Structure formats: structure tokens, C-alpha cells
Amino acid sequence: MKISFTLANSLSLSRLIIAPVIACNILSDWWLTASFFLLLAILSDLLDGPIARKKGQETSSGGLLDHSCDALLVAVLLFVLNQTHGIPVLLPLLVLGSFLQYVLDSKALSGHNLRTSFLGRSNGIAYYVLVSICIFSEAVGIDLPDKFFIICAWILIASTLVSMSERLWTLLSKIRI
């Protein structure tokens, strides 16, 4: 699998650089700076796909890179938010596990396009939303109880497990046919 260094792929890769920067800012209690870098990460995620499509540079490897960078970004931030907001460590572990399942099930490493599901896409967005609420609420001084974040995390844990189970069930059904 070959990844070209296009603008879109560079935007995706920027999230790998931004993730530890945000994590360090969170651990240093610099929420405003963390918010700024999170906004940059979100902007890069919103722009990489449309730029690749507009320039005719959309590839399965670019899609895999985009989703990989998303999964690693949110997993790193959820691990760090375990320290600050009590996010259960199970959630970032499931983010990584479900992403690995997604890649293997789609056969993306052999050049196939990623096969998404409604629940999987929704979970991916919800991971970003949870991370954003944690970071932005701290930056603007809104004091939400940790219990709120923990409940949201457990809902995401449950929906991720359902998504992974559906994907496994679909795979096993195909094997039996």
C-alpha cells in the first residue's frame, strides 16, 4: 500500500503530530491551548476528504490514513482524559480495537476501501464529540461533573461493543454461506 504525500494526506498526518501536543497541554492544564490544537485537528479532518476529492486524489490508502489518524488522535486524547475526567480506559482501548477490526474486516491493508456502517460512523463522530466537550468545557470554564463524562463514555463503550458485535456477526454470516 502506497501513500502519496498530497495536501489531503498531509492534513491527515498532521493529526498524529497534534495528538501529543494536545495531550501535553491537557496534562499541563492549558485547556485553551489544547482547544486551539483540537480545533486545528478537527479542521484538518473536515478538509482532508473534500480536498482529496476536489483534486482527484482520493484513494483507498488515503482513506485508511485519514481514519487511522482519527482513531489514534481520539484514543490518545481519551487515554489522557482518563486522568483528568475519569474516562474509563476501556473506551480508548475499544476505539483502537474497533478500528483494527474495521481495517481487517474491510481488507483495507490489501487496498480495499473501508466498509463503514452507520453505527461505526456515528461512534467515530461521538468519540470526537466527547473529547471536544471535555476539552472545550474546561477552556471556557464550564464546570461539568465528571459523572457526566463517565456516563457518556459508558454509553459509547456500549455502542462500540454493539458495533463490533454487528461487524463480527456479519463476517461470520459471510463465512457460513
Side-chain angles (χ1 to χ4, degrees):
M1 175 176 57
K2 183 181 176 191
I3 296 177
S4 352
F5 285 98
T6 63
L7 175 58
N9 289 343
S10 298
L11 285 170
S12 295
L13 284 169
S14 72
R15 292 193 293 283
L16 294 182
I17 296 165
I18 291 173
V21 172
I22 298 170
C24 288
N25 280 286
I26 290 170
L27 293 173
S28 299
D29 217 20
W30 297 342
W31 295 101
L32 196 55
T33 307
S35 293
F36 170 76
F37 282 104
L38 179 58
L39 284 172
L40 287 179
I42 291 169
L43 189 60
S44 77
D45 190 29
L46 292 173
L47 293 176
D48 57 3
I51 287 172
R53 284 187 288 280
K54 184 176 180 182
K55 292 184 173 258
Q57 299 171 335
E58 190 176 18
T59 63
S60 57
S61 60
L64 178 59
L65 178 67
D66 173 35
H67 289 275
S68 300
C69 293
D70 290 340
L72 290 170
L73 172 75
V74 296
V76 164
L77 298 181
L78 289 168
F79 274 119
V80 173
L81 291 168
N82 165 265
Q83 300 297 308
T84 60
H85 289 75
I87 301 294
V89 172
L90 181 58
L91 183 56
L93 291 173
L94 283 174
V95 167
L96 295 172
S98 66
F99 177 72
L100 180 61
Q101 180 191 31
Y102 173 50
V103 169
L104 295 175
D105 180 52
S106 298
K107 299 179 183 166
L109 296 176
S110 60
H112 292 84
N113 287 329
L114 290 165
R115 289 185 315 101
T116 61
S117 69
F118 174 77
L119 184 55
R121 279 190 306 274
S122 300
N123 283 338
I125 292 166
Y127 303 143
Y128 260 111
V129 169
L130 178 59
V131 164
S132 297
I133 292 171
C134 289
I135 294 172
F136 296 148
S137 66
E138 291 287 346
V140 298
I142 297 173
D143 190 23
L144 296 171
D146 283 351
K147 190 175 264 189
F148 168 78
F149 299 112
I150 294 168
I151 290 169
C152 290
W154 279 105
I155 291 169
L156 273 173
I157 287 168
S159 65
T160 302
L161 288 170
V162 168
S163 177
M164 291 175 77
S165 299
E166 285 179 351
R167 198 171 266 284
L168 181 60
W169 180 260
T170 302
L171 178 65
L172 292 176
S173 297
K174 285 180 183 178
I175 290 173
R176 280 189 235 145
I177 294 177

